[in-house]
Amino acid sequence: MRYSVFSVLGQALRGQRDWKPQWRDAAPKAEYDVVIVGGGGHGVATAYYLAKEHGITNVAVLEKSHIGSGNVGRNTTIVRSNYGLPGNIPFYEHSM
């Protein structure tokens, strides 16, 4: 299915009855290479990093609710670029 403003609007008018699932079956496997507890910003980013940088794709992300239902759904979960500025390093070292 191609997504566009018109297809989304059409689905909304039809009560969203014609959507086809865009995800695989989430039935658990017998084993995983990595299990991540917590499906927030850090948990999902860790799973992405493992797949992108290390090719580890047999990963389970466990979340008690739906992905993004915790702080990541209420906050922006920003990784601030100013953490790496030279003038801020002494400040962050002192705070630890």
Side-chain angles (χ1 to χ4, degrees):
M1 169 179 241
R2 295 194 62 178
Y3 296 99
S4 68
V5 173
F6 300 112
S7 68
V8 172
L9 181 60
Q11 286 292 341
L13 294 174
R14 288 190 295 275
Q16 301 182 12
R17 290 186 301 266
D18 300 326
W19 287 114
K20 294 178 185 164
Q22 298 297 314
W23 54 88
R24 65 173 180 77
D25 182 17
K29 296 179 185 177
E31 62 182 47
Y32 294 93
D33 295 333
V34 176
V35 176
I36 299 170
V37 179
H42 291 96
V44 174
T46 300
Y48 174 79
Y49 174 80
L50 288 171
K52 181 179 181 212
E53 298 296 326
H54 300 286
I56 301 171
T57 57
N58 189 21
V59 177
V61 179
L62 304 179
E63 174 59 45
K64 66 180 175 181
S65 188
H66 59 276
I67 298 292
S69 64
N71 283 339
V72 72
R74 294 186 299 271
N75 302 317
T76 56
T77 311
I78 297 174
V79 176
R80 298 182 187 272
S81 62
N82 62 346
Y83 290 163
L85 296 176
N88 293 336
I89 293 172
F91 173 74
Y92 297 118
E93 287 177 351
H94 176 71
S95 68
M96 297 189 352

